Amino acid sequence: MTLTHTVRPYESYVYAYPHKTAYRPLAEQPGGRPALDELWAGERKDALSLYLHIPFCEVRCGFCNLFTRIGAPDELTSRYLDALDRQAGAVREALGDAEPVRFAAAAFGGGTPTFLTAGELERLCDIAEKRMGADLRSVPLSVETSPSTATADRLAVLAARGATRISIGVQSFVEAEARAAVRPQHAADVERALGLIRDTSVPVLNIDLIYGIDGQTERSWRTSLDAALRWRPEELYLYPLYVRPLTALGRRSPGEADADWDAQRLRLYRAGRDHLLAHGYEQVSMRMFRRADAPCAEGPDDYACQTDGMIGLGCGARSYTSRLHYSFDYAVRMTEVRGIIDAYTATEDFSRAEVGRYTDGDEARRRHLLQSVLQARGMPVAEYRERFGTSPHEDFPEELARFEARGWLDTEAQGLLRLSPEGLAYSDALGPELFSPAVRAAMAAYELK
């Protein structure tokens, strides 16, 4: 007997654990703001991931609660890159030279990194290479873009500097649906951008699509899927729409409307999944699908950015050591975001961590389980035991028993803790159930801003 029907399938997208709403100012915690050189002392530095965050967009979509602002007046992008350069210098100094420092993967995200001009993108790459020492031409480099900013000159810079993956947020090829999601774009601009991306030498194209938009049907969803498939993208991400506080779409009313919306999103998810599987794609996670004959990505898969050894540069980026996740302050409301960006650009001393949460002990186990089990391939139980000295069933007996009772686990997987197809469909319900009580309390106490 399964209990799936009693559980809402869309509680929260777990793209990072702990979420930033569980972070707190480190100055208020025991030991105060730790120095970066102390944080990174003793950490492995031979396979680091590098993430550079650009918090600017031309428009802000109705569903977006990312850390970004609209526009950049008064040479703000130049001042932001100046601050990014200062931060990179401080971080590289903190990493030291006692042992080799190497980067295994890099990514530019946002916001929209291609909001920057071609010349500014050159400078961004220079910061990654000359300040941090990352060889962008020899490691996987993923860059996010949008239909309006994917111009030939910008894409040429990225291709020349070693980009191996371009991810474009289309969300819907149906203009009425784009308007309903408060995302002003025209189909012709989308097609132009995709054509320009395909004209580059970048080997992996990813297209983001969203399901659950007001008025969206299985037929219109198929229209977007087929429009994307015509470009034979190496990857496709299918995202359920979330309507979050402080975004343009506002809150949905509770009750039947939510139940109907859940049913719509779940129906469209299954239709999209089955359509992609039938067209030669393999499911990597609930959201991620990769074309079976696509070149094998050498970089981290979905969720893997949470592994230890993540260097984040920019005021919206996270960094991860084996014990601490840290960043800068987080906000959604535009006035707050602008204030944080202005404070970042005025900062001279980047030698200490500002805001974060310690993730050792039980939290490390939860994080590892989350980032592993939400992958379609599952998690080798022996790998977990080798890392922690226990089994996941010893550490999380109640949660795993509950997941099994709901039919979310593949009980025939030998040596693997792997989700069933139904478990993958309910990833956004399963993930939050693995949050610790302390993280739940911190997230609940967070004052939205």
Side-chain angles (χ1 to χ4, degrees), residues 311-329:
I311 299 288
L313 301 178
C315 58
R318 298 173 174 83
S319 296
Y320 305 122
T321 72
S322 60
R323 297 191 311 109
L324 178 70
H325 287 192
Y326 64 93
S327 182
F328 295 92
D329 202 4

Side-chain angles (χ1 to χ4, degrees), residues 9-25:
Y10 301 104
E11 294 292 340
S12 176
Y13 172 23
V14 186
Y15 61 89
Y17 180 80
H19 189 269
K20 269 191 176 181
T21 54
Y23 290 12
R24 294 293 184 271

